[in-house]
Every structure is written in structure tokens, then in C-alpha cells.
């Protein structure tokens, strides 16, 4: 009789759900998924949750294979020698292989008053706390969004489209990922919605109070609600468990997504740092990384050599309210170029992407192994060579 293999997946985001479903390709693999809540959070819709136009969640039972055992609990430590995950309420859960897919959240702000008076929105819990605050605020009260990456732009546009008075404090520049030509287009749309854009050296936040945001140029903005979207961090589970992590806490792996410390631990999604050259945190890369992590585990079970990652990017899609968006196109190695799509066409693309993500996860549950990704990064080998050369030169 074939010996059964126990695989535990920690985290039910884009990468974790796809990995868990994909692992069910083998009948002799038992998959356990540990997640602190029984719902899947479609994070690309959290700005809509804050604005009250979407709930941004799906019951995990709707998108998980019936062969995946869901444990609703919090993983508190990985006992690497014992091959077990310690949880808050369910006791230790043993594994033969572990997929580490804990995702990301808000970075801790180091600006005085920000942790006390500003509202993050990187997680479902954050967004749920923020939504009633927005709803209870006067329609004419100023709302300040700090951070002008995709999340900041999207929530600023969503709220401004509802008629709210919104300041978008960018710090250095609006949409750092965007090509300058596309950035100008996004700025035009935001301005048309009434968003006040503050950027440059005088637009660094120096303090936050319950009623204001102070900037480095000496200006103070009145702010009834301050939303903090500047920066992302990752849970410290790997570091607390004695595993090697990069500077912000992502699990360090090789190019197969295998931990540099233990061949039975594989990482995926925002919490993975392959070769210390992690991909951009996004659902776009999380899904193929989740699939690849599962493929790595299945290859090891089969006694085969796992493949190296080959994941590219099309760019970035940013919602600009309910009726417009921008699709910033990029090279396969994720460098934005001057080309983009905009307006209602881009809005339809954005909405299709938000819906299709959930459908992909459910499809993988019904037909494990069916998920594929067309965009590859053929230049990653060059990036690795360049990083190696720089490291040698620095010695």
C-alpha cells in the first residue's frame, strides 16, 4: 500500500488556496489548510469594502476542494525538527511537507500618531474596522489617504467618486510603479474626481492626530478620517520559528521556492523571498507562485527534481472609481512602460480580473492541476546573475 503524505498549507490567500487545491492531484496526499477565518478575502476588492460597494469575501467552502481539510485557527509557531505547526486552539498539526503562504499586511508606521489615529486597510479586519468610520463621518468631512500605491489610489478614487473630499498624500510621487506618461493620466482622473494630490519633498507625513495630518513642508491638513496605505509587511511566523527570512520577514527560499533551511518547507505568495529577489507583492504573482509551490511539493513526493520558478508580469491594473481604471503594461520582468489602457474598457478589465481570480481558485478545486500562467519571466536568470555579481563585488 502507498504511504500517505500529509501536507499542511498555512494561509488561505490567493497562493495558499491555489496550492491547497492543486495538491489534491495525488490520491495519497492529505491536505490540511490552516487559516484564522472560514472566508477567503479577495484583497483586490478591499477598497470597495471600505467604500461600501462590495463585501470582498467568499466562503472558503465555495472555492476549496472537498479533499482539503480546513482548520480555522491561527498558526503560532512552526516546529521544524518535529515537523508540526502549533496553533492557538487546535493543538499541534503534523506535516510531511509545509507550504508557507501567510501573505502580507500593513507595515507598522513609524510616524508619530499614525498607529493611534490612522486606519490601515491591508487586511479584511482592517477594512471592516474602517468602513463604519467612513460611513459615520460627515459627507463633507475631509478624508486623508496616506500612500499613493495602487491601494491608496483606489480607495481615494472610490471615496471621491461618492462625493467625499479626499486628500491623497503621496510622499515622493504618485504611483511609484507607474510610467510617467501613465502617472499623468491617473493624476488627471483623480483630479477630475476632486482628489487633492500632494506629492514631492514637502508631502512626507511627519505626524498624525485625531483631526489632522502634518506634512514635512510645514502644512497641516484637516482630516476627520486618515487612512494609512503606505507600505506592506509580512507576519513574523517564519522568524519566530527560527527560519531564515529577509529584511522584512519573508521566508528565504531557492528558485524552486524551497526554504533554504529545510527541504520540506516551501513558500508561496507575498511571504516568499526566492533567491533574495522576491517578486512584487500582488495577486498576479501569488497565484502562479502558489501553483509552483504545490508543484514543488508534488515533485519531491514523486522523487523528481522540482523546477525553478518562471513567473512574469503584465503590469498593474488600478481601479479609478466604479467607471474607470488604468491598466499599466510592463515588460515580463515587471518594468512599467509607456503603454496603458484606460477608461471604461480598463474598468471592465479590472472587474473581470477581480471576478476571475475567485473563479480560477474554484476551477482548480474542481480540476486540480488545470491552472496555468502564460506570462513567464525569461529575464530572471539575468537578474540572478547580476545580483550574484554585485554580491561578489561587495565582498
Amino acid at each position: 500500500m502507498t504511504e500517505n503524505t500529509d501536507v499542511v498549507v498555512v494561509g488561505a490567500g490567493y497562493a495558499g488556496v491555489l496550492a491547497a487545491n492543486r495538491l489534491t492531484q495525488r490520491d495519497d496526499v492529505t491536505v490540511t489548510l490552516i487559516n484564522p477565518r472560514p472566508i477567503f478575502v479577495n484583497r483586490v476588492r478591499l477598497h470597495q469594502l471600505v467604500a461600501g460597494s462590495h463585501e470582498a469575501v467568499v466562503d472558503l467552502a465555495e472555492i476549496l476542494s472537498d479533499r482539503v481539510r480546513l482548520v480555522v485557527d491561527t498558526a503560532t509557531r512552526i516546529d521544524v525538527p518535529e515537523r508540526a505547526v502549533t496553533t492557538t486552539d487546535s493543538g499541534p498539526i503534523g506535516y510531511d511537507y509545509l507550504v508557507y503562504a501567510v501573505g502580507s499586511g500593513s507595515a507598522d508606521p513609524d510616524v508619530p500618531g499614525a498607529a493611534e489615529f490612522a486606519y490601515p486597510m491591508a487586511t479584511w479586519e482592517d477594512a471592516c474596522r474602517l468602513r463604519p468610520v467612513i460611513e459615520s463621518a460627515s459627507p463633507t468631512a475631509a478624508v486623508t489617504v496616506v500612500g499613493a500605491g495602487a491601494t491608496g489610489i483606489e480607495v481615494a478614487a472610490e471615496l471621491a467618486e461618492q462625493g467625499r473630499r479626499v486628500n491623497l498624500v503621496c510622499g515622493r510621487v504618485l504611483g511609484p510603479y507607474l510610467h510617467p506618461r501613465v502617472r499623468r493620466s491617473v493624476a488627471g482622473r483623480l483630479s477630475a474626481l476632486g482628489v487633492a494630490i500632494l506629492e514631492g519633498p514637502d508631502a512626507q507625513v511627519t505626524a498624525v492626530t485625531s483631526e489632522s495630518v502634518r506634512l514635512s513642508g510645514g502644512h497641516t491638513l484637516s482630516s476627520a478620517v486618515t487612512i494609512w496605505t503606505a507600505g506592506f509587511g509580512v507576519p513574523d511566523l517564519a522568524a519566530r520559528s527560527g527560519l531564515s527570512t529577509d529584511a522584512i520577514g519573508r521566508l528565504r527560499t531557492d528558485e524552486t521556492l524551497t526554504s533554504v533551511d529545510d527541504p520540506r518547507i516551501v513558500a508561496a505568495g507575498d511571504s516568499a523571498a526566492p533567491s533574495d529577489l522576491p517578486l512584487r507583492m500582488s495577486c498576479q504573482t501569488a497565484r502562479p507562485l502558489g501553483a509552483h509551490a504545490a508543484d514543488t511539493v508534488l515533485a519531491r513526493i514523486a522523487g523528481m527534481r522540482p523546477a525553478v520558478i518562471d513567473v512574469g508580469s503584465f503590469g498593474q491594473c488600478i481601479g479609478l472609481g466604479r467607471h474607470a481604471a488604468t491598466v499599466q503594461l510592463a515588460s515580463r520582468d515587471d518594468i512599467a512602460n509607456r503603454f496603458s489602457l484606460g477608461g471604461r474598457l480598463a474598468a471592465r478589465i479590472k472587474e473581470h480580473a477581480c471576478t476571475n481570480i475567485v473563479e480560477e481558485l474554484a476551477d482548480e478545486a474542481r480540476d486540480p492541476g488545470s491552472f496555468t500562467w502564460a506570462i513567464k519571466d525569461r529575464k530572471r536568470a539575468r537578474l540572478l546573475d547580476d545580483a550574484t555579481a554585485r554580491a561578489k563585488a561587495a565582498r
Side-chain angles (χ1 to χ4, degrees), residues 13-99:
Y14 301 109
V17 171
L18 205 144
N21 286 338
R22 197 175 186 88
L23 285 162
T24 64
Q25 290 176 79
R26 288 183 63 116
D27 292 336
D28 59 348
V29 171
T30 298
V31 184
T32 299
L33 177 61
I34 304 172
N35 196 59
R37 59 183 86 87
I39 55 173
F40 168 77
V41 180
N42 196 359
R43 285 182 62 180
V44 295
R45 290 195 186 275
L46 284 181
H47 64 288
Q48 293 177 258
L49 172 59
V50 168
S53 59
H54 202 282
E55 293 306 311
V57 295
V58 177
D59 193 320
L60 275 170
E62 296 180 21
I63 59 172
L64 273 183
S65 166
D66 57 11
R67 289 193 50 220
V68 175
R69 180 174 72 107
L70 175 63
V71 175
V72 180
D73 206 341
T74 299
T76 57
R77 185 172 176 273
I78 301 167
D79 189 334
V80 178
E82 295 297 323
R83 293 183 194 159
V85 179
T86 302
T87 61
T88 301
D89 299 315
S90 306
I93 300 174
Y95 65 83
D96 295 305
Y97 289 93
L98 175 81
V99 177

Side-chain angles (χ1 to χ4, degrees), residues 158-301:
E158 194 88 16
L159 294 174
E161 193 174 63
Q162 294 180 351
R164 292 194 174 273
R165 185 158 58 96
V166 180
N167 300 309
L168 179 58
V169 180
C170 308
R172 184 173 60 85
V173 66
L174 172 72
Y177 176 84
L178 301 174
H179 184 276
R181 175 181 173 276
V182 182
R183 184 177 297 123
R184 289 192 292 272
S185 174
V186 171
R189 169 64 180 173
L190 290 172
S191 295
L193 289 171
V195 176
I197 301 170
L198 298 95
E199 57 183 332
D202 291 339
Q204 306 289 329
V205 177
T206 59
V208 179
T209 73
S210 60
E211 299 178 344
S212 67
V213 173
R214 298 170 189 164
L215 303 181
S216 53
H219 188 53
T220 297
L221 301 173
S222 173
S223 183
V225 182
T226 300
I227 303 173
W228 196 272
T229 72
F232 282 91
V234 298
D236 64 351
L237 177 61
R240 280 189 284 111
S241 302
L243 294 164
S244 298
T245 62
D246 69 0
I248 69 168
R250 290 172 290 210
L251 185 69
R252 293 183 61 237
T253 75
D254 64 15
E255 286 293 287
T256 73
L257 299 180
T258 304
S259 165
V260 298
D261 301 309
D262 190 322
R264 291 181 176 269
I265 298 177
V266 179
D270 291 354
S271 53
S275 304
D276 288 322
L277 285 173
L279 288 83
R280 175 164 54 91
M281 290 181 177
S282 71
C283 67
Q284 182 184 164
T285 54
R287 284 135 55 235
L289 288 179
H292 190 96
D295 291 346
T296 291
V297 171
L298 293 172
R300 293 195 184 281
I301 293 171

